[in-house]
Amino acid sequence: MQTARTTPSRLAKRAHYDADTIHPILDEALFCTVSTVIDGQPFALPTAHARHNDKLYIHGSVGSHFIRAIEHGAPVCITVMLADGLILAKSAFSHSVNYRSVVVFAQAEKVTDEAEKMQALALITDHMVPNRWDDLRPTTDSELRKTTVLAFSLAEASAKVRTGNANDDAADRDLPTWAGVIPLKTVQLPPIPADYNTASLPAYLSA
Amino acid sequence: MQTARTTPSRLAKRAHYDADTIHPILDEALFCTVSTVIDGQPFALPTAHARHNDKLYIHGSVGSHFIRAIEHGAPVCITVMLADGLILAKSAFSHSVNYRSVVVFAQAEKVTDEAEKMQALALITDHMVPNRWDDLRPTTDSELRKTTVLAFSLAEASAKVRTGNANDDAADRDLPTWAGVIPLKTVQLPPIPADYNTASLPAYLSA
């Protein structure tokens, strides 16, 4: 939703407010950065997350000062960035980055319903590795008590996207410097079993 | 430096305060997230950066509200995260991530000296693509005037690092679920020239 906070002061043409743009970015990114304010100071931490409909979930230890501050109402800004390419232009000024980013402004709602809490943990686990949750032993009551799950509304979320290639000023285009894009990609390398592992690699990991 | 703000409330054993740990993480990461506080609200943006000795540089448009707020003294928290692997354990609770992260607390010093400003822009450009700066036409006075460069001291920086493989509780180690690490890596794909490019690919890009 476009609000004063979600309207960028620069490059507003790159801004998007629709779920069709925002949701896939949140779903593709494995990690977000959660920023908050504690005693007037900014604090930010990278963490895992998962999206379900119009909610974003994160989890953390009940002992974490950061999680507790957020849980008790500190305002939150969550950012996600996927870097898709380095844009090399003929001037330093026209260098850029192809990226897809999301910024969410929200306050945490603590998930207290046990079924929703368990579902959120399943979503966070399966966001990292699809189909993982059903392969795990059940989470215990003790583990659940040690974990805080927080939900954030995506009502005040926006995306910013740059695609395409270099875009030099007309006056620079004939300079003898190479211009183009270097695409970036995050890849998963072959799994390495733990030394105590005796199980064979499941189908959902061998793909 | 270890201060109250840089001491994590959880997993303090993963915390580091030495430049030998912190600097390589800042140098390997192409992007950071800059968080600040404006009117009591958290604002965070991903951006490019470069490190030189004990300073971190970022740049932005002189017209950006975010940059202006930071330039005028809003407190800043800068985070960087390199995700090295997904840790798959036999319980959801023991799932984790191999990562190297840095958190910096600082206030911006605006770079007004023209030589330092130009050097910082060269560092940011070459941080993205080594040896790029010397291949570009000189930055103009007009471009320089449109760009704000901010420096941040790394005095109050800390790193957090997790390495190794899965680490299940003893009671879970014999469960029939696969446990291990899925390494993650960000790779650069072959460069794609802009449609107006006629220059051949330079040596520093073909490696």
Side-chain angles (χ1 to χ4, degrees):
Chain A
M1 184 171 69
Q2 186 164 9
T3 65
R5 299 196 280 200
T6 61
T7 303
S9 63
R10 300 292 303 165
L11 298 169
K13 65 183 177 186
R14 293 185 187 161
H16 302 263
Y17 301 95
D18 59 300
D20 286 350
T21 304
I22 293 168
H23 289 185
I25 298 171
L26 294 172
D27 294 349
E28 184 175 331
L30 291 185
F31 306 101
C32 65
T33 300
V34 180
S35 305
T36 192
V37 183
I38 303 176
D39 297 333
Q41 295 291 314
F43 281 81
L45 278 187
T47 192
H49 66 273
R51 182 192 64 82
H52 185 61
N53 297 329
D54 282 326
K55 278 189 185 171
L56 196 76
Y57 291 101
I58 67 167
H59 75 312
S61 166
V62 295
S64 156
H65 289 186
F66 186 83
I67 291 288
R68 284 192 199 179
I70 292 174
E71 173 188 338
H72 293 129
V76 165
C77 176
I78 299 175
T79 55
V80 150
M81 185 205 188
L82 297 166
D84 293 325
L86 306 176
I87 299 295
L88 277 60
K90 300 189 178 217
S91 67
F93 197 74
S94 291
H95 276 61
S96 187
V97 175
N98 277 350
Y99 63 91
R100 289 167 289 152
S101 67
V102 167
V103 177
V104 181
F105 295 99
Q107 270 190 299
E109 306 152 39
K110 185 176 180 180
V111 177
T112 52
D113 177 79
E114 203 155 301
E116 187 187 358
K117 190 170 173 181
M118 199 66 95
Q119 189 200 27
L121 294 174
L123 287 164
I124 292 170
T125 304
D126 283 347
H127 180 222
M128 197 168 278
V129 181
N131 302 305
R132 182 66 178 167
W133 183 261
D134 287 342
D135 203 13
L136 303 173
R137 69 150 171 79
T139 292
T140 65
D141 287 349
S142 161
E143 289 168 343
L144 211 55
R145 277 195 305 273
K146 290 176 187 164
T147 306
T148 299
V149 173
L150 302 174
F152 299 90
S153 161
L154 294 177
E156 202 169 341
S158 61
K160 220 166 166 185
V161 177
R162 190 206 189 278
T163 57
N165 209 309
N167 188 21
D168 272 289
D169 288 343
D172 289 332
R173 293 201 168 200
D174 291 332
L175 290 173
T177 303
W178 189 88
V181 55
I182 303 175
L184 299 175
K185 195 178 177 187
T186 299
V187 295
Q188 301 194 350
L189 304 180
I192 303 165
D195 55 8
Y196 56 84
N197 177 74
T198 55
S200 55
L201 199 67
Y204 59 82
L205 289 180
S206 51
Chain B
M1 184 172 69
Q2 185 164 12
T3 66
R5 299 196 279 199
T6 61
T7 303
S9 63
R10 300 291 305 164
L11 298 169
K13 66 183 176 186
R14 291 185 189 162
H16 302 263
Y17 301 95
D18 58 300
D20 287 350
T21 304
I22 292 167
H23 289 185
I25 298 170
L26 294 172
D27 295 349
E28 185 175 333
L30 291 185
F31 306 101
C32 65
T33 300
V34 180
S35 305
T36 191
V37 182
I38 303 176
D39 297 332
Q41 294 291 315
F43 281 80
L45 278 186
T47 192
H49 67 273
R51 182 193 63 83
H52 185 61
N53 297 330
D54 281 326
K55 278 187 185 173
L56 196 76
Y57 292 101
I58 67 167
H59 74 312
S61 166
V62 295
S64 156
H65 289 187
F66 186 83
I67 290 288
R68 284 192 200 178
I70 292 174
E71 174 188 336
H72 292 128
V76 165
C77 175
I78 300 175
T79 54
V80 150
M81 185 205 187
L82 297 166
D84 294 324
L86 306 176
I87 300 295
L88 278 61
K90 301 189 178 216
S91 67
F93 197 75
S94 291
H95 275 61
S96 187
V97 175
N98 277 350
Y99 63 92
R100 289 166 290 151
S101 66
V102 167
V103 178
V104 181
F105 295 99
Q107 271 188 301
E109 306 153 39
K110 185 177 179 179
V111 178
T112 53
D113 177 80
E114 203 155 301
E116 188 187 357
K117 191 171 171 180
M118 200 65 95
Q119 190 200 27
L121 294 174
L123 287 165
I124 292 170
T125 305
D126 284 346
H127 180 220
M128 197 169 278
V129 180
N131 302 305
R132 181 66 178 166
W133 183 262
D134 287 342
D135 204 13
L136 302 173
R137 70 150 170 78
T139 292
T140 66
D141 286 348
S142 162
E143 290 169 342
L144 211 55
R145 276 196 306 273
K146 290 176 188 164
T147 307
T148 299
V149 173
L150 302 174
F152 299 89
S153 160
L154 294 177
E156 202 169 341
S158 61
K160 220 166 165 184
V161 177
R162 191 209 189 275
T163 58
N165 208 308
N167 188 21
D168 272 291
D169 288 343
D172 288 333
R173 294 201 167 199
D174 292 332
L175 290 171
T177 303
W178 189 88
V181 55
I182 302 175
L184 299 175
K185 194 178 177 184
T186 299
V187 295
Q188 301 194 349
L189 303 181
I192 302 165
D195 55 7
Y196 57 84
N197 178 74
T198 55
S200 54
L201 198 69
Y204 60 82
L205 289 179
S206 50

